[in-house]
Amino acid sequence: MRHFEIKSSSELTEIDIFGQIGDSFFEEGNTLDSVKAELQKTDTELVVNIASLGGIAFEGLAIHDLIASYPFNTTVNILGATASAGAIIAVAGDTVNISENSLFLIHNSHGIAQGNADDMDKVAQDMRKIDDRMVSIFTNRTNKSEETIRDL
């Protein structure tokens, strides 16, 4: 089930992104289209509250880029456990807040593949591209070295 809510006033728009990033076979998740549709209606500062264990990396990367390019000041509040594709989105704000009680997890991309050796090589190449993109985002956001981020 998608857990996406928006609250808006003349000065501030608040978005809650809770649950799955991207749609799955079993549930409707938070997607680029759902976030974009709401942001197009706003022209105020933005607060994004996020608690997500992740989902589809491509959706997380796209939502991150959408929020990062939002023309007004953006604050992201990390609530509870936020991981994987949720973590990618979480660092998109101009300001990122996380409480002592929150958990934050990043990892290399992972997935399931089927096919011959050439198919597996292609999937591995694609996963390395996703990993490189995530490393770039976290390196730029934290000012930590690429090696440090890859170790994490």
Side-chain angles (χ1 to χ4, degrees):
M1 175 164 68
R2 189 180 86 175
H3 300 282
F4 180 87
E5 183 177 342
I6 188 164
K7 297 168 230 142
S8 189
S9 71
S10 61
E11 298 175 8
L12 181 72
T13 300
E14 187 171 353
I15 295 176
D16 296 337
I17 300 176
F18 300 150
Q20 170 90 13
I21 304 302
D23 289 335
S24 74
F25 181 75
F26 301 103
E27 66 180 295
E28 179 184 6
N30 299 288
T31 65
L32 173 64
D33 290 340
S34 64
V35 176
K36 183 178 179 181
E38 295 303 332
L39 288 183
Q40 288 176 337
K41 300 175 190 174
T42 67
D43 60 356
T44 65
E45 288 191 26
L46 179 66
V47 173
V48 177
N49 300 308
I50 186 165
S52 170
L53 296 179
I56 299 171
F58 291 118
E59 287 287 331
L61 289 167
I63 294 169
H64 168 277
D65 291 349
L66 180 67
I67 292 170
S69 67
Y70 187 71
F72 300 95
N73 186 55
T74 304
T75 300
V76 175
N77 297 314
I78 299 169
L79 309 173
T82 298
S84 193
I88 297 166
I89 295 168
V91 298
D94 299 312
T95 303
V96 177
N97 301 313
I98 184 169
S99 76
E100 289 182 28
N101 299 322
S102 294
L103 301 172
F104 188 82
L105 170 73
I106 63 173
H107 61 84
N108 289 327
S109 59
H110 68 271
I112 299 171
Q114 180 177 331
N116 62 34
D118 292 336
D119 297 328
M120 298 299 167
D121 287 342
K122 174 72 170 111
V123 170
Q125 288 173 359
D126 291 345
M127 292 174 77
R128 286 186 188 95
K129 288 177 187 174
I130 293 169
D131 291 346
D132 290 345
R133 179 69 175 103
M134 291 187 299
V135 167
S136 176
I137 288 170
F138 292 123
T139 299
N140 290 333
R141 184 63 200 186
T142 65
N143 294 318
K144 296 195 180 293
S145 70
E146 180 179 330
E147 180 182 354
T148 298
I149 297 298
R150 287 193 187 277
D151 286 346
L152 290 171

mmCIF file of all heavy atoms in Angstrom, residues 17 21 31-33 35-36 39 46 48 50 56-72 74 76 85-94 129-130 132-138 140-141:
data_model
loop_
_atom_site.group_PDB
_atom_site.id
_atom_site.type_symbol
_atom_site.label_atom_id
_atom_site.label_comp_id
_atom_site.label_asym_id
_atom_site.label_seq_id
_atom_site.Cartn_x
_atom_site.Cartn_y
_atom_site.Cartn_z
ATOM 1 N N ILE A 17 6.530 10.404 2.966
ATOM 2 C CA ILE A 17 6.813 9.261 2.104
ATOM 3 C C ILE A 17 7.108 8.093 3.030
ATOM 4 O O ILE A 17 8.196 7.997 3.594
ATOM 5 C CB ILE A 17 8.002 9.519 1.157
ATOM 6 C CG1 ILE A 17 7.703 10.711 0.250
ATOM 7 C CG2 ILE A 17 8.301 8.266 0.337
ATOM 8 C CD1 ILE A 17 8.861 11.094 -0.661
ATOM 9 N N ILE A 21 9.230 2.134 -1.958
ATOM 10 C CA ILE A 21 9.599 3.049 -3.035
ATOM 11 C C ILE A 21 9.405 2.291 -4.348
ATOM 12 O O ILE A 21 10.020 1.253 -4.579
ATOM 13 C CB ILE A 21 11.059 3.527 -2.903
ATOM 14 C CG1 ILE A 21 11.315 4.181 -1.540
ATOM 15 C CG2 ILE A 21 11.421 4.469 -4.061
ATOM 16 C CD1 ILE A 21 10.435 5.369 -1.213
ATOM 17 N N THR A 31 6.015 6.529 -6.017
ATOM 18 C CA THR A 31 6.680 6.550 -7.312
ATOM 19 C C THR A 31 7.081 7.968 -7.709
ATOM 20 O O THR A 31 6.601 8.951 -7.134
ATOM 21 C CB THR A 31 5.764 5.989 -8.419
ATOM 22 O OG1 THR A 31 4.639 6.868 -8.551
ATOM 23 C CG2 THR A 31 5.309 4.573 -8.107
ATOM 24 N N LEU A 32 7.933 8.061 -8.718
ATOM 25 C CA LEU A 32 8.292 9.358 -9.277
ATOM 26 C C LEU A 32 7.028 10.101 -9.698
ATOM 27 O O LEU A 32 6.874 11.289 -9.408
ATOM 28 C CB LEU A 32 9.223 9.176 -10.471
ATOM 29 C CG LEU A 32 9.549 10.447 -11.253
ATOM 30 C CD1 LEU A 32 10.306 11.437 -10.387
ATOM 31 C CD2 LEU A 32 10.319 10.115 -12.512
ATOM 32 N N ASP A 33 6.120 9.408 -10.360
ATOM 33 C CA ASP A 33 4.893 10.061 -10.838
ATOM 34 C C ASP A 33 4.048 10.597 -9.696
ATOM 35 O O ASP A 33 3.501 11.701 -9.782
ATOM 36 C CB ASP A 33 4.073 9.102 -11.695
ATOM 37 C CG ASP A 33 4.728 8.818 -13.038
ATOM 38 O OD1 ASP A 33 5.587 9.614 -13.479
ATOM 39 O OD2 ASP A 33 4.387 7.787 -13.648
ATOM 40 N N VAL A 35 5.020 11.495 -6.610
ATOM 41 C CA VAL A 35 5.683 12.638 -5.973
ATOM 42 C C VAL A 35 5.651 13.850 -6.906
ATOM 43 O O VAL A 35 5.328 14.968 -6.498
ATOM 44 C CB VAL A 35 7.129 12.282 -5.565
ATOM 45 C CG1 VAL A 35 7.847 13.497 -5.004
ATOM 46 C CG2 VAL A 35 7.143 11.147 -4.549
ATOM 47 N N LYS A 36 5.952 13.633 -8.172
ATOM 48 C CA LYS A 36 5.970 14.728 -9.147
ATOM 49 C C LYS A 36 4.600 15.394 -9.262
ATOM 50 O O LYS A 36 4.506 16.628 -9.327
ATOM 51 C CB LYS A 36 6.415 14.203 -10.507
ATOM 52 C CG LYS A 36 6.543 15.271 -11.561
ATOM 53 C CD LYS A 36 7.043 14.680 -12.870
ATOM 54 C CE LYS A 36 7.149 15.752 -13.924
ATOM 55 N NZ LYS A 36 7.617 15.216 -15.209
ATOM 56 N N LEU A 39 4.243 17.707 -6.298
ATOM 57 C CA LEU A 39 5.157 18.847 -6.300
ATOM 58 C C LEU A 39 4.770 19.890 -7.345
ATOM 59 O O LEU A 39 5.020 21.083 -7.157
ATOM 60 C CB LEU A 39 6.592 18.390 -6.526
ATOM 61 C CG LEU A 39 7.252 17.666 -5.367
ATOM 62 C CD1 LEU A 39 8.701 17.340 -5.701
ATOM 63 C CD2 LEU A 39 7.183 18.477 -4.084
ATOM 64 N N LEU A 46 9.528 23.160 1.186
ATOM 65 C CA LEU A 46 9.112 21.759 1.219
ATOM 66 C C LEU A 46 9.740 21.048 2.408
ATOM 67 O O LEU A 46 10.925 21.205 2.683
ATOM 68 C CB LEU A 46 9.550 21.078 -0.082
ATOM 69 C CG LEU A 46 9.239 19.607 -0.264
ATOM 70 C CD1 LEU A 46 7.727 19.380 -0.357
ATOM 71 C CD2 LEU A 46 9.922 19.083 -1.531
ATOM 72 N N VAL A 48 9.972 17.061 3.649
ATOM 73 C CA VAL A 48 9.719 15.673 3.303
ATOM 74 C C VAL A 48 10.014 14.831 4.539
ATOM 75 O O VAL A 48 11.133 14.851 5.052
ATOM 76 C CB VAL A 48 10.614 15.195 2.132
ATOM 77 C CG1 VAL A 48 10.375 13.718 1.845
ATOM 78 C CG2 VAL A 48 10.380 16.043 0.895
ATOM 79 N N ILE A 50 10.340 11.083 5.795
ATOM 80 C CA ILE A 50 10.513 9.790 5.140
ATOM 81 C C ILE A 50 10.817 8.695 6.150
ATOM 82 O O ILE A 50 11.620 8.877 7.061
ATOM 83 C CB ILE A 50 11.587 9.838 4.031
ATOM 84 C CG1 ILE A 50 11.652 8.509 3.268
ATOM 85 C CG2 ILE A 50 12.934 10.264 4.586
ATOM 86 C CD1 ILE A 50 12.396 8.569 1.963
ATOM 87 N N ILE A 56 12.614 0.050 -5.233
ATOM 88 C CA ILE A 56 13.230 0.044 -6.555
ATOM 89 C C ILE A 56 14.242 1.194 -6.651
ATOM 90 O O ILE A 56 13.882 2.368 -6.512
ATOM 91 C CB ILE A 56 12.155 0.163 -7.649
ATOM 92 C CG1 ILE A 56 11.207 -1.037 -7.556
ATOM 93 C CG2 ILE A 56 12.789 0.257 -9.033
ATOM 94 C CD1 ILE A 56 9.979 -0.926 -8.432
ATOM 95 N N ALA A 57 15.499 0.844 -6.915
ATOM 96 C CA ALA A 57 16.576 1.840 -6.952
ATOM 97 C C ALA A 57 16.302 2.933 -7.977
ATOM 98 O O ALA A 57 16.537 4.116 -7.698
ATOM 99 C CB ALA A 57 17.913 1.164 -7.240
ATOM 100 N N PHE A 58 15.820 2.574 -9.168
ATOM 101 C CA PHE A 58 15.575 3.574 -10.201
ATOM 102 C C PHE A 58 14.551 4.606 -9.742
ATOM 103 O O PHE A 58 14.692 5.797 -10.023
ATOM 104 C CB PHE A 58 15.113 2.920 -11.511
ATOM 105 C CG PHE A 58 16.193 2.123 -12.188
ATOM 106 C CD1 PHE A 58 16.046 0.770 -12.386
ATOM 107 C CD2 PHE A 58 17.360 2.730 -12.618
ATOM 108 C CE1 PHE A 58 17.033 0.026 -13.012
ATOM 109 C CE2 PHE A 58 18.359 2.001 -13.243
ATOM 110 C CZ PHE A 58 18.204 0.643 -13.438
ATOM 111 N N GLU A 59 13.518 4.172 -9.045
ATOM 112 C CA GLU A 59 12.518 5.111 -8.522
ATOM 113 C C GLU A 59 13.143 6.001 -7.459
ATOM 114 O O GLU A 59 12.897 7.203 -7.415
ATOM 115 C CB GLU A 59 11.314 4.365 -7.929
ATOM 116 C CG GLU A 59 10.412 3.728 -8.945
ATOM 117 C CD GLU A 59 9.558 4.699 -9.742
ATOM 118 O OE1 GLU A 59 9.202 5.795 -9.251
ATOM 119 O OE2 GLU A 59 9.218 4.339 -10.882
ATOM 120 N N GLY A 60 13.947 5.414 -6.579
ATOM 121 C CA GLY A 60 14.616 6.197 -5.545
ATOM 122 C C GLY A 60 15.534 7.256 -6.133
ATOM 123 O O GLY A 60 15.542 8.411 -5.675
ATOM 124 N N LEU A 61 16.308 6.880 -7.139
ATOM 125 C CA LEU A 61 17.195 7.842 -7.793
ATOM 126 C C LEU A 61 16.403 8.970 -8.452
ATOM 127 O O LEU A 61 16.762 10.145 -8.355
ATOM 128 C CB LEU A 61 18.067 7.128 -8.830
ATOM 129 C CG LEU A 61 19.144 6.206 -8.271
ATOM 130 C CD1 LEU A 61 19.718 5.323 -9.378
ATOM 131 C CD2 LEU A 61 20.247 6.993 -7.584
ATOM 132 N N ALA A 62 15.323 8.623 -9.117
ATOM 133 C CA ALA A 62 14.509 9.628 -9.809
ATOM 134 C C ALA A 62 13.819 10.561 -8.819
ATOM 135 O O ALA A 62 13.799 11.789 -9.019
ATOM 136 C CB ALA A 62 13.474 8.943 -10.705
ATOM 137 N N ILE A 63 13.274 10.021 -7.733
ATOM 138 C CA ILE A 63 12.627 10.861 -6.726
ATOM 139 C C ILE A 63 13.667 11.754 -6.057
ATOM 140 O O ILE A 63 13.416 12.933 -5.793
ATOM 141 C CB ILE A 63 11.857 10.002 -5.698
ATOM 142 C CG1 ILE A 63 10.673 9.297 -6.379
ATOM 143 C CG2 ILE A 63 11.366 10.861 -4.532
ATOM 144 C CD1 ILE A 63 10.009 8.219 -5.534
ATOM 145 N N HIS A 64 14.851 11.202 -5.790
ATOM 146 C CA HIS A 64 15.942 12.015 -5.239
ATOM 147 C C HIS A 64 16.203 13.219 -6.135
ATOM 148 O O HIS A 64 16.264 14.362 -5.668
ATOM 149 C CB HIS A 64 17.225 11.180 -5.108
ATOM 150 C CG HIS A 64 18.437 12.020 -4.826
ATOM 151 N ND1 HIS A 64 19.135 12.656 -5.828
ATOM 152 C CD2 HIS A 64 19.045 12.340 -3.670
ATOM 153 C CE1 HIS A 64 20.126 13.342 -5.296
ATOM 154 N NE2 HIS A 64 20.101 13.166 -3.983
ATOM 155 N N ASP A 65 16.372 12.976 -7.435
ATOM 156 C CA ASP A 65 16.693 14.059 -8.359
ATOM 157 C C ASP A 65 15.561 15.081 -8.443
ATOM 158 O O ASP A 65 15.817 16.285 -8.540
ATOM 159 C CB ASP A 65 17.011 13.496 -9.743
ATOM 160 C CG ASP A 65 18.318 12.716 -9.761
ATOM 161 O OD1 ASP A 65 19.086 12.778 -8.771
ATOM 162 O OD2 ASP A 65 18.575 12.033 -10.778
ATOM 163 N N LEU A 66 14.330 14.619 -8.378
ATOM 164 C CA LEU A 66 13.185 15.524 -8.404
ATOM 165 C C LEU A 66 13.188 16.435 -7.182
ATOM 166 O O LEU A 66 13.041 17.660 -7.300
ATOM 167 C CB LEU A 66 11.885 14.713 -8.463
ATOM 168 C CG LEU A 66 10.588 15.513 -8.497
ATOM 169 C CD1 LEU A 66 10.476 16.285 -9.807
ATOM 170 C CD2 LEU A 66 9.400 14.584 -8.326
ATOM 171 N N ILE A 67 13.386 15.867 -6.015
ATOM 172 C CA ILE A 67 13.398 16.667 -4.780
ATOM 173 C C ILE A 67 14.621 17.580 -4.756
ATOM 174 O O ILE A 67 14.529 18.754 -4.377
ATOM 175 C CB ILE A 67 13.338 15.757 -3.545
ATOM 176 C CG1 ILE A 67 11.961 15.077 -3.463
ATOM 177 C CG2 ILE A 67 13.627 16.548 -2.260
ATOM 178 C CD1 ILE A 67 11.858 13.985 -2.420
ATOM 179 N N ALA A 68 15.774 17.069 -5.161
ATOM 180 C CA ALA A 68 17.004 17.871 -5.155
ATOM 181 C C ALA A 68 16.898 19.080 -6.088
ATOM 182 O O ALA A 68 17.523 20.113 -5.837
ATOM 183 C CB ALA A 68 18.199 17.007 -5.536
ATOM 184 N N SER A 69 16.107 18.968 -7.144
ATOM 185 C CA SER A 69 15.968 20.071 -8.094
ATOM 186 C C SER A 69 14.784 20.994 -7.759
ATOM 187 O O SER A 69 14.550 21.967 -8.482
ATOM 188 C CB SER A 69 15.817 19.534 -9.518
ATOM 189 O OG SER A 69 14.590 18.841 -9.659
ATOM 190 N N TYR A 70 14.071 20.702 -6.693
ATOM 191 C CA TYR A 70 12.926 21.540 -6.302
ATOM 192 C C TYR A 70 13.436 22.960 -6.058
ATOM 193 O O TYR A 70 14.439 23.164 -5.364
ATOM 194 C CB TYR A 70 12.273 20.943 -5.045
ATOM 195 C CG TYR A 70 10.994 21.609 -4.641
ATOM 196 C CD1 TYR A 70 9.833 21.453 -5.386
ATOM 197 C CD2 TYR A 70 10.939 22.394 -3.506
ATOM 198 C CE1 TYR A 70 8.648 22.060 -5.007
ATOM 199 C CE2 TYR A 70 9.753 23.010 -3.101
ATOM 200 C CZ TYR A 70 8.615 22.835 -3.868
ATOM 201 O OH TYR A 70 7.443 23.437 -3.487
ATOM 202 N N PRO A 71 12.776 23.977 -6.616
ATOM 203 C CA PRO A 71 13.341 25.333 -6.597
ATOM 204 C C PRO A 71 13.259 26.073 -5.257
ATOM 205 O O PRO A 71 13.843 27.149 -5.128
ATOM 206 C CB PRO A 71 12.521 26.061 -7.667
ATOM 207 C CG PRO A 71 11.230 25.331 -7.716
ATOM 208 C CD PRO A 71 11.559 23.894 -7.421
ATOM 209 N N PHE A 72 12.564 25.519 -4.286
ATOM 210 C CA PHE A 72 12.449 26.175 -2.989
ATOM 211 C C PHE A 72 13.206 25.369 -1.943
ATOM 212 O O PHE A 72 13.554 24.215 -2.157
ATOM 213 C CB PHE A 72 10.972 26.315 -2.600
ATOM 214 C CG PHE A 72 10.185 27.132 -3.590
ATOM 215 C CD1 PHE A 72 9.480 26.518 -4.615
ATOM 216 C CD2 PHE A 72 10.170 28.519 -3.510
ATOM 217 C CE1 PHE A 72 8.771 27.265 -5.544
ATOM 218 C CE2 PHE A 72 9.461 29.277 -4.433
ATOM 219 C CZ PHE A 72 8.758 28.647 -5.455
ATOM 220 N N THR A 74 14.295 22.957 0.821
ATOM 221 C CA THR A 74 13.769 21.629 1.117
ATOM 222 C C THR A 74 14.443 21.058 2.356
ATOM 223 O O THR A 74 15.669 21.057 2.452
ATOM 224 C CB THR A 74 14.017 20.678 -0.067
ATOM 225 O OG1 THR A 74 13.439 21.244 -1.239
ATOM 226 C CG2 THR A 74 13.410 19.314 0.181
ATOM 227 N N VAL A 76 14.485 17.524 4.735
ATOM 228 C CA VAL A 76 14.091 16.125 4.832
ATOM 229 C C VAL A 76 14.271 15.681 6.278
ATOM 230 O O VAL A 76 15.326 15.904 6.880
ATOM 231 C CB VAL A 76 14.927 15.221 3.899
ATOM 232 C CG1 VAL A 76 14.569 13.755 4.119
ATOM 233 C CG2 VAL A 76 14.716 15.612 2.447
ATOM 234 N N ALA A 85 16.657 2.448 -1.191
ATOM 235 C CA ALA A 85 16.128 3.499 -2.060
ATOM 236 C C ALA A 85 15.546 4.647 -1.239
ATOM 237 O O ALA A 85 15.572 5.800 -1.677
ATOM 238 C CB ALA A 85 15.073 2.935 -3.010
ATOM 239 N N GLY A 86 15.058 4.358 -0.046
ATOM 240 C CA GLY A 86 14.588 5.416 0.849
ATOM 241 C C GLY A 86 15.729 6.309 1.295
ATOM 242 O O GLY A 86 15.581 7.524 1.416
ATOM 243 N N ALA A 87 16.906 5.720 1.531
ATOM 244 C CA ALA A 87 18.084 6.491 1.941
ATOM 245 C C ALA A 87 18.542 7.427 0.831
ATOM 246 O O ALA A 87 19.010 8.535 1.093
ATOM 247 C CB ALA A 87 19.205 5.553 2.365
ATOM 248 N N ILE A 88 18.420 6.976 -0.405
ATOM 249 C CA ILE A 88 18.791 7.826 -1.538
ATOM 250 C C ILE A 88 17.916 9.078 -1.553
ATOM 251 O O ILE A 88 18.402 10.197 -1.700
ATOM 252 C CB ILE A 88 18.648 7.065 -2.870
ATOM 253 C CG1 ILE A 88 19.607 5.883 -2.919
ATOM 254 C CG2 ILE A 88 18.871 7.995 -4.057
ATOM 255 C CD1 ILE A 88 19.304 4.900 -4.033
ATOM 256 N N ILE A 89 16.621 8.891 -1.378
ATOM 257 C CA ILE A 89 15.686 10.019 -1.347
ATOM 258 C C ILE A 89 15.981 10.916 -0.157
ATOM 259 O O ILE A 89 15.946 12.145 -0.253
ATOM 260 C CB ILE A 89 14.233 9.510 -1.291
ATOM 261 C CG1 ILE A 89 13.882 8.753 -2.571
ATOM 262 C CG2 ILE A 89 13.257 10.666 -1.051
ATOM 263 C CD1 ILE A 89 12.589 7.969 -2.490
ATOM 264 N N ALA A 90 16.314 10.315 0.971
ATOM 265 C CA ALA A 90 16.477 11.050 2.221
ATOM 266 C C ALA A 90 17.568 12.109 2.171
ATOM 267 O O ALA A 90 17.491 13.104 2.889
ATOM 268 C CB ALA A 90 16.748 10.080 3.367
ATOM 269 N N VAL A 91 18.573 11.936 1.335
ATOM 270 C CA VAL A 91 19.664 12.915 1.302
ATOM 271 C C VAL A 91 19.470 13.992 0.235
ATOM 272 O O VAL A 91 20.380 14.768 -0.040
ATOM 273 C CB VAL A 91 21.041 12.223 1.153
ATOM 274 C CG1 VAL A 91 21.326 11.330 2.343
ATOM 275 C CG2 VAL A 91 21.150 11.446 -0.147
ATOM 276 N N ALA A 92 18.277 14.090 -0.323
ATOM 277 C CA ALA A 92 18.010 15.038 -1.407
ATOM 278 C C ALA A 92 17.758 16.457 -0.919
ATOM 279 O O ALA A 92 17.822 17.395 -1.712
ATOM 280 C CB ALA A 92 16.803 14.575 -2.231
ATOM 281 N N GLY A 93 17.475 16.643 0.344
ATOM 282 C CA GLY A 93 17.102 17.961 0.841
ATOM 283 C C GLY A 93 18.272 18.908 1.000
ATOM 284 O O GLY A 93 19.427 18.494 1.089
ATOM 285 N N ASP A 94 17.942 20.199 1.073
ATOM 286 C CA ASP A 94 18.954 21.201 1.402
ATOM 287 C C ASP A 94 19.428 20.989 2.840
ATOM 288 O O ASP A 94 20.584 21.182 3.157
ATOM 289 C CB ASP A 94 18.372 22.610 1.255
ATOM 290 C CG ASP A 94 17.924 22.893 -0.167
ATOM 291 O OD1 ASP A 94 18.702 22.627 -1.102
ATOM 292 O OD2 ASP A 94 16.790 23.370 -0.348
ATOM 293 N N LYS A 129 26.498 0.372 -12.366
ATOM 294 C CA LYS A 129 26.125 1.754 -12.705
ATOM 295 C C LYS A 129 25.256 2.361 -11.609
ATOM 296 O O LYS A 129 25.438 3.528 -11.245
ATOM 297 C CB LYS A 129 25.391 1.798 -14.043
ATOM 298 C CG LYS A 129 26.283 1.546 -15.232
ATOM 299 C CD LYS A 129 25.481 1.524 -16.522
ATOM 300 C CE LYS A 129 26.351 1.094 -17.694
ATOM 301 N NZ LYS A 129 25.551 0.937 -18.922
ATOM 302 N N ILE A 130 24.314 1.601 -11.094
ATOM 303 C CA ILE A 130 23.472 2.075 -9.994
ATOM 304 C C ILE A 130 24.340 2.341 -8.766
ATOM 305 O O ILE A 130 24.208 3.385 -8.114
ATOM 306 C CB ILE A 130 22.358 1.062 -9.666
ATOM 307 C CG1 ILE A 130 21.367 0.970 -10.826
ATOM 308 C CG2 ILE A 130 21.640 1.427 -8.366
ATOM 309 C CD1 ILE A 130 20.396 -0.187 -10.719
ATOM 310 N N ASP A 132 27.496 3.112 -8.660
ATOM 311 C CA ASP A 132 28.287 4.318 -8.905
ATOM 312 C C ASP A 132 27.461 5.574 -8.694
ATOM 313 O O ASP A 132 27.942 6.564 -8.125
ATOM 314 C CB ASP A 132 28.872 4.301 -10.319
ATOM 315 C CG ASP A 132 29.962 3.258 -10.514
ATOM 316 O OD1 ASP A 132 30.486 2.717 -9.510
ATOM 317 O OD2 ASP A 132 30.284 2.969 -11.690
ATOM 318 N N ARG A 133 26.226 5.551 -9.146
ATOM 319 C CA ARG A 133 25.330 6.721 -8.979
ATOM 320 C C ARG A 133 25.063 6.969 -7.499
ATOM 321 O O ARG A 133 25.106 8.102 -7.028
ATOM 322 C CB ARG A 133 24.029 6.472 -9.747
ATOM 323 C CG ARG A 133 23.013 7.568 -9.639
ATOM 324 C CD ARG A 133 23.456 8.854 -10.361
ATOM 325 N NE ARG A 133 22.383 9.809 -10.320
ATOM 326 C CZ ARG A 133 22.348 10.855 -9.498
ATOM 327 N NH1 ARG A 133 23.322 11.090 -8.678
ATOM 328 N NH2 ARG A 133 21.336 11.678 -9.517
ATOM 329 N N MET A 134 24.787 5.897 -6.749
ATOM 330 C CA MET A 134 24.529 6.050 -5.315
ATOM 331 C C MET A 134 25.773 6.552 -4.591
ATOM 332 O O MET A 134 25.680 7.433 -3.732
ATOM 333 C CB MET A 134 24.047 4.730 -4.713
ATOM 334 C CG MET A 134 22.657 4.332 -5.176
ATOM 335 S SD MET A 134 21.977 2.885 -4.329
ATOM 336 C CE MET A 134 23.144 1.605 -4.737
ATOM 337 N N VAL A 135 26.932 6.008 -4.924
ATOM 338 C CA VAL A 135 28.181 6.460 -4.301
ATOM 339 C C VAL A 135 28.387 7.953 -4.559
ATOM 340 O O VAL A 135 28.749 8.712 -3.661
ATOM 341 C CB VAL A 135 29.387 5.630 -4.800
ATOM 342 C CG1 VAL A 135 30.706 6.293 -4.419
ATOM 343 C CG2 VAL A 135 29.323 4.218 -4.235
ATOM 344 N N SER A 136 28.123 8.390 -5.773
ATOM 345 C CA SER A 136 28.257 9.805 -6.111
ATOM 346 C C SER A 136 27.335 10.673 -5.260
ATOM 347 O O SER A 136 27.750 11.714 -4.725
ATOM 348 C CB SER A 136 27.959 10.010 -7.595
ATOM 349 O OG SER A 136 28.001 11.369 -7.930
ATOM 350 N N ILE A 137 26.095 10.251 -5.113
ATOM 351 C CA ILE A 137 25.132 11.012 -4.303
ATOM 352 C C ILE A 137 25.609 11.107 -2.855
ATOM 353 O O ILE A 137 25.652 12.198 -2.270
ATOM 354 C CB ILE A 137 23.733 10.366 -4.373
ATOM 355 C CG1 ILE A 137 23.108 10.607 -5.750
ATOM 356 C CG2 ILE A 137 22.822 10.898 -3.256
ATOM 357 C CD1 ILE A 137 21.852 9.816 -6.008
ATOM 358 N N PHE A 138 25.981 9.983 -2.265
ATOM 359 C CA PHE A 138 26.386 9.989 -0.854
ATOM 360 C C PHE A 138 27.728 10.692 -0.650
ATOM 361 O O PHE A 138 27.934 11.361 0.363
ATOM 362 C CB PHE A 138 26.408 8.569 -0.288
ATOM 363 C CG PHE A 138 25.041 7.957 -0.168
ATOM 364 C CD1 PHE A 138 24.750 6.758 -0.798
ATOM 365 C CD2 PHE A 138 24.038 8.562 0.556
ATOM 366 C CE1 PHE A 138 23.489 6.191 -0.699
ATOM 367 C CE2 PHE A 138 22.770 8.014 0.663
ATOM 368 C CZ PHE A 138 22.496 6.816 0.039
ATOM 369 N N ASN A 140 28.892 13.250 -2.503
ATOM 370 C CA ASN A 140 28.615 14.683 -2.610
ATOM 371 C C ASN A 140 27.894 15.218 -1.383
ATOM 372 O O ASN A 140 28.143 16.338 -0.940
ATOM 373 C CB ASN A 140 27.811 14.982 -3.872
ATOM 374 C CG ASN A 140 28.621 14.788 -5.127
ATOM 375 O OD1 ASN A 140 29.840 14.919 -5.121
ATOM 376 N ND2 ASN A 140 27.952 14.463 -6.222
ATOM 377 N N ARG A 141 27.005 14.431 -0.848
ATOM 378 C CA ARG A 141 26.200 14.894 0.291
ATOM 379 C C ARG A 141 27.004 14.935 1.592
ATOM 380 O O ARG A 141 26.806 15.817 2.416
ATOM 381 C CB ARG A 141 24.980 13.980 0.459
ATOM 382 C CG ARG A 141 24.039 14.405 1.525
ATOM 383 C CD ARG A 141 23.464 15.757 1.182
ATOM 384 N NE ARG A 141 22.956 16.356 2.391
ATOM 385 C CZ ARG A 141 22.286 17.472 2.454
ATOM 386 N NH1 ARG A 141 22.030 18.127 1.354
ATOM 387 N NH2 ARG A 141 21.867 17.947 3.577
#
